[in-house]
């Protein structure tokens, strides 16, 4: 009996010791097995509530999962612990950074730093990661903190790994490479550092070399989940940057992401990461399946509405998209992103579209455009997304709706599509005012079109169609002088490109000559006749030119 008691006591002691060992949890965090890590850390805290470091690590996982309330609870608990309490000030400091209160964050970091001994580096690493992981990353502050740590202990692998991340975030590839290389040399079990060398190659669009680098990581540990996520992202970028590889590489990307999921977990948070990747990969059928699985797991999580809304829209269920996205965006406590408003706006426009798709009910269009503008106001770079949206409407000949979208797009002059969006804006407005049912063209809309074509010409003076459409627009505005000016500029630009280009644009030359002739008919008959004869040289049977010359005699 005594032996049994001694054995039982030994078992309890061993269990507690294991519960208090943070290394398995830290390894699980590095492997992005967050649910496993949370379970391990909760066991540690249950066995020893005084372990402040366990509370801090648990809080940082919740921060990674965007569950700030739970993070704050564990950081506050950790502060009152008897061991490792000061780390929790770092976690609370990151919450301050997320709230745009850097002063409060720095005050908490200073409380930690003042207690450090000369060779202490772990706290510096966590402070640096707080700067990097904040909603608005501050890589320069992270580098400054890590430089102090590297001075104290230049051979610390974790310091070098964090420096690599900070330099990478600061777009300093050379120093990032050296830091990652140092980290792996100082500790060859730190395969994340080796994986990051592949990430650098991915960022440089050296996709073949990046894949080879990841394969080296797999040869060390084929069950290291994050490397498969990186492979997925690399093949996704490869597919998009080399279009001829798209079909093959996007399938590889999706396959590797599934592998990543199988090696991490299928928790709601992991499924959300998967859903985000499916959006990037534009696999909306799979997104719908994932969204419904998430709904079964956690029917009250509001973010699931985003995935339900996106997939419903892309899969043709407009009412389902509207229902999900309106519920999601109407709750101000939800973390709404610009894409949410882009999809909501598109859904409203689609809902209001006529059967032939050529018109959109005014109220739905106005509401949809208001949502699209919200997206651009939240993030000006969202304007990059509007080109595709506007072109779909333009191709359907829904010119009024297309014009409204392109007008929102050109509010950001730094958009990568600024020039082409201006061209489409001008064209949309022009064609909307030449519809058969238009009684009188809208001069305000046409002035906007004129300005848009002017923007194209300023940015790209050899874009010939901008001149002819500007001339046509001014013809509708009954501004004969400017109409003639732009037709002449069109002729000059095309002629400068050579005889072959002139031959290809014969019909537009005839249009230009005839319209310019009509302008000069009352002020300069000789000039008008000269232009009409140029038309007849290209088309001897041109009815307008023949009739006009008779009238000028």
């Amino acid at each position: 009996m005594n032996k049994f008691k001694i054995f039982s006591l030994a078992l309890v002691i061993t269990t507690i010791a294991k519960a208090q060992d943070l290394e398995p949890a830290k390894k699980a965090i590095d492997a992005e097995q967050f649910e496993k890590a949370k379970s391990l850390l909760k066991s540690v805290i249950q066995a020893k509530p005084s372990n402040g470091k366990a509370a801090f690590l648990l809080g940082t996982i919740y921060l990674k999962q965007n569950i700030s309330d739970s993070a704050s609870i564990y950081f506050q608990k950790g502060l009152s612990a008897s061991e490792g309490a000061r780390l929790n000030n770092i976690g609370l400091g990151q919450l301050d950074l997320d709230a745009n209160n850097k002063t409060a964050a720095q005050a908490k970091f200073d409380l930690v730093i003042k207690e450090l001994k000369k060779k202490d580096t772990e706290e510096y690493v966590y402070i640096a990661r707080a700067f990097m992981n904040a909603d608005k990353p501050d890589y320069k502050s992270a580098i400054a903190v890590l430089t102090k740590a590297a001075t104290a202990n230049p051979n610390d692998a974790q310091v070098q790994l964090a420096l690599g991340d900070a330099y990478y975030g600061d777009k300093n590839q050379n120093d990032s490479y050296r830091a990652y290389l140092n980290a792996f040399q100082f500790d060859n079990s730190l395969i994340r550092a080796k994986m990051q060398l592949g990430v650098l190659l991915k960022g440089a669009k050296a996709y073949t070399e990046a894949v080879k680098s990841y394969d080296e990581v797999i040869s060390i540990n084929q069950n290291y989940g994050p490397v498969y996520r990186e492979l997925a992202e690399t093949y996704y970028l490869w597919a998009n940057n080399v279009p001829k590889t798209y079909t093959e590489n996007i399938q590889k990307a999706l396959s590797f992401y599934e592998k990543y999921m199988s090696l991490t977990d299928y928790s709601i948070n992991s499924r959300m990461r998967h859903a985000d990747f499916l959006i990037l990969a534009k696999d909306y059928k799979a997104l719908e399946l994932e969204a419904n699985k998430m709904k079964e797991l956690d029917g009250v999580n509001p973010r699931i509405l985003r995935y339900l809304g996106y997939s419903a829209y892309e899969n043709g269920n407009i009412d389902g998209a509207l229902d999900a996205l309106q519920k999601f965006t109407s709750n101000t406590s939800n973390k709404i992103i610009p894409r949410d408003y882009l999809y909501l706006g598109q859904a409203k426009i689609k809902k209001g579209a006529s059967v032939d798709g050529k018109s959109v009910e005014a109220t739905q269009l106005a509401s949809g455009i208001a949502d699209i503008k919200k997206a651009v106001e939240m993030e000006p770079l969202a304007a990059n997304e509007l080109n595709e949206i506007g072109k779909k409407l333009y191709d359907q000949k829904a010119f009024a709706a297309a014009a409204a979208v392109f007008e929102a797009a050109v509010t950001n002059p730094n958009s990568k599509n600024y020039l082409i969006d201006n061209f489409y804006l001008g064209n949309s407005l022009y064609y909307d005012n030449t519809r058969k049912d238009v009684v009188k063209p809208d001069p305000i809309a046409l002035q906007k079109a004129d300005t848009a074509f002017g923007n194209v010409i300023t940015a790209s003076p050899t874009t010939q169609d901008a001149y002819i459409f500007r001339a046509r627009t001014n013809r509708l505005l009954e501004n004969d002088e400017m109409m003639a000016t732009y037709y002449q500029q069109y002729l000059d630009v095309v002629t400068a490109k050579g005889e072959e280009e002139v031959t290809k644009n014969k019909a537009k030359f005839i249009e230009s000559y005839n319209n310019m002739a009509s302008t000069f008919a009352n002020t300069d008959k000789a000039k008008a006749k000269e232009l009409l004869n140029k038309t007849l040289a290209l088309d001897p049977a041109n009815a307008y030119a023949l009739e006009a010359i008779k009238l000028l005699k």
Side-chain angles (χ1 to χ4, degrees), residues 244-379:
K244 66 180 182 181
T245 72
Y246 186 85
T247 302
E248 178 186 358
N249 282 340
I250 209 69
Q251 288 306 312
K252 287 182 179 179
L254 293 166
S255 175
F256 279 121
Y257 209 97
E258 288 292 342
K259 177 75 171 178
Y260 165 71
M261 291 283 288
S262 72
L263 290 169
T264 51
D265 57 53
Y266 283 92
S267 67
I268 191 71
N269 285 288
S270 292
R271 289 186 179 280
M272 285 181 178
R273 290 199 304 273
H274 186 210
D276 288 334
F277 187 78
L278 291 171
I279 291 167
L280 290 176
K282 298 182 179 180
D283 190 343
Y284 299 107
K285 294 292 184 186
L287 178 63
E288 187 171 19
L289 290 172
E290 189 69 284
N292 282 305
K293 287 176 185 175
M294 286 190 280
K295 191 175 180 182
E296 290 173 14
L297 283 172
D298 186 355
V300 298
N301 192 310
R303 192 165 144 195
I304 296 168
L305 291 168
R306 169 183 292 155
Y307 305 124
L308 288 169
Y310 290 11
S311 58
Y313 176 82
E314 295 290 353
N315 294 328
N317 181 1
I318 303 305
D319 288 335
L322 283 169
D323 180 61
L325 291 169
Q326 284 175 328
K327 284 177 181 175
F328 184 66
T329 57
S330 63
N331 188 340
T332 55
S333 65
N334 290 335
K335 210 167 191 177
I336 299 166
I337 59 174
R339 192 179 295 276
D340 299 331
Y341 284 121
L342 288 180
Y343 266 104
L344 180 57
Q346 288 181 85
K348 288 178 179 177
I349 292 170
K350 192 78 172 175
K351 178 68 176 176
S354 59
V355 175
D356 63 6
K358 293 182 180 181
S359 63
V360 180
E361 193 274 322
T363 303
Q364 290 283 16
L365 177 60
S367 184
I369 294 299
D371 287 322
I372 286 170
K373 286 180 177 177
K374 281 180 190 175
V376 178
E377 286 166 9
M378 285 177 71
E379 174 49 75

Side-chain angles (χ1 to χ4, degrees), residues 31-325:
E32 298 177 18
Q33 297 169 336
F34 297 121
E35 295 308 309
K36 178 181 177 181
K38 281 158 67 174
S39 178
L40 289 168
L41 290 167
K42 286 175 181 178
S43 294
V44 172
I45 293 168
Q46 186 176 9
K48 192 176 181 183
S50 61
N51 193 324
K53 187 172 182 179
F56 166 71
L57 292 173
L58 186 52
T60 59
I61 294 173
Y62 280 114
L63 276 182
K64 283 179 183 291
Q65 297 179 331
N66 293 314
I67 309 173
S68 56
D69 290 347
S70 295
S72 180
I73 289 168
Y74 279 103
F75 292 144
Q76 293 292 350
K77 284 183 179 178
L79 270 185
S80 60
S82 58
E83 299 172 19
R86 65 190 180 197
L87 288 169
N88 291 279
N89 270 316
I90 300 173
L92 292 169
Q94 186 180 329
L95 287 169
D96 286 331
L97 291 174
D98 291 343
N100 292 317
N101 191 344
K102 188 175 180 180
T103 302
Q106 191 61 57
K108 290 182 177 67
F109 298 154
D110 289 342
L111 286 173
V112 177
I113 292 169
K114 74 177 184 179
E115 295 181 18
L116 300 184
K117 295 176 183 176
K118 188 175 181 180
K119 292 289 185 179
D120 289 341
T121 56
E122 185 179 40
E123 288 83 356
Y124 282 119
V125 170
Y126 285 129
I127 290 169
R129 292 213 174 276
F131 278 119
M132 288 189 273
N133 294 332
D135 287 345
K136 294 180 180 177
D138 183 352
Y139 297 108
K140 292 192 184 301
S141 291
I143 291 167
V145 170
L146 290 165
T147 301
K148 292 178 184 178
T151 302
N153 188 352
N155 296 331
D156 188 312
Q158 287 291 342
V159 170
Q160 293 298 320
L161 174 62
L163 262 173
D165 292 342
Y167 282 127
Y168 181 68
D170 201 40
K171 296 180 171 55
N172 182 339
Q173 303 276 41
N174 291 334
D175 285 340
S176 181
Y177 176 82
R178 278 192 290 271
Y180 287 140
L181 203 60
N182 287 339
F184 190 67
Q185 287 174 345
F186 296 155
D187 180 359
N188 61 13
S189 71
L190 194 58
I191 59 174
R192 180 171 286 270
K194 188 167 182 61
M195 182 185 77
Q196 290 302 116
L197 294 172
V199 173
L200 289 173
L201 291 165
K202 175 187 74 175
K205 297 184 179 180
Y207 303 122
T208 302
E209 292 77 8
V211 169
K212 287 179 182 176
S213 184
Y214 299 140
D215 285 342
E216 290 176 9
V217 175
I218 292 169
S219 70
I220 298 170
N221 183 354
Q222 65 179 2
N223 293 319
Y224 188 63
V227 73
Y228 296 101
R229 175 178 48 75
E230 291 297 344
L231 274 165
E233 292 178 7
T234 299
Y235 277 110
Y236 161 75
L237 292 171
W238 197 344
N240 281 278
N241 283 291
V242 186
K244 66 180 182 181
T245 72
Y246 186 85
T247 302
E248 178 186 358
N249 282 340
I250 209 69
Q251 288 306 312
K252 287 182 179 179
L254 293 166
S255 175
F256 279 121
Y257 209 97
E258 288 292 342
K259 177 75 171 178
Y260 165 71
M261 291 283 288
S262 72
L263 290 169
T264 51
D265 57 53
Y266 283 92
S267 67
I268 191 71
N269 285 288
S270 292
R271 289 186 179 280
M272 285 181 178
R273 290 199 304 273
H274 186 210
D276 288 334
F277 187 78
L278 291 171
I279 291 167
L280 290 176
K282 298 182 179 180
D283 190 343
Y284 299 107
K285 294 292 184 186
L287 178 63
E288 187 171 19
L289 290 172
E290 189 69 284
N292 282 305
K293 287 176 185 175
M294 286 190 280
K295 191 175 180 182
E296 290 173 14
L297 283 172
D298 186 355
V300 298
N301 192 310
R303 192 165 144 195
I304 296 168
L305 291 168
R306 169 183 292 155
Y307 305 124
L308 288 169
Y310 290 11
S311 58
Y313 176 82
E314 295 290 353
N315 294 328
N317 181 1
I318 303 305
D319 288 335
L322 283 169
D323 180 61
L325 291 169

Side-chain angles (χ1 to χ4, degrees), residues 449-491:
D450 180 75
T451 300
F453 291 128
N455 289 336
V456 176
I457 290 166
T458 299
S460 179
T462 59
T463 302
Q464 61 204 50
D465 280 354
Y467 293 97
I468 199 161
F469 274 100
R470 197 174 194 186
R472 292 168 179 171
T473 298
N474 277 273
R475 184 178 66 199
L476 288 180
L477 283 166
E478 300 180 356
N479 188 339
D480 291 346
E481 182 181 351
M482 296 314 299
M483 175 190 74
T485 297
Y486 296 129
Y487 271 126
Q488 184 59 59
Q489 289 176 357
Y490 169 77
L491 295 170

Side-chain angles (χ1 to χ4, degrees), residues 405-430:
V405 171
F406 287 119
E407 192 170 3
V410 300
T411 57
N412 179 13
N414 297 315
S415 166
K416 67 179 182 180
N417 302 312
Y418 182 70
L419 189 149
I420 192 67
D421 285 345
N422 267 287
F423 185 78
Y424 272 110
L425 171 59
N427 267 22
S428 299
L429 291 165
Y430 171 77

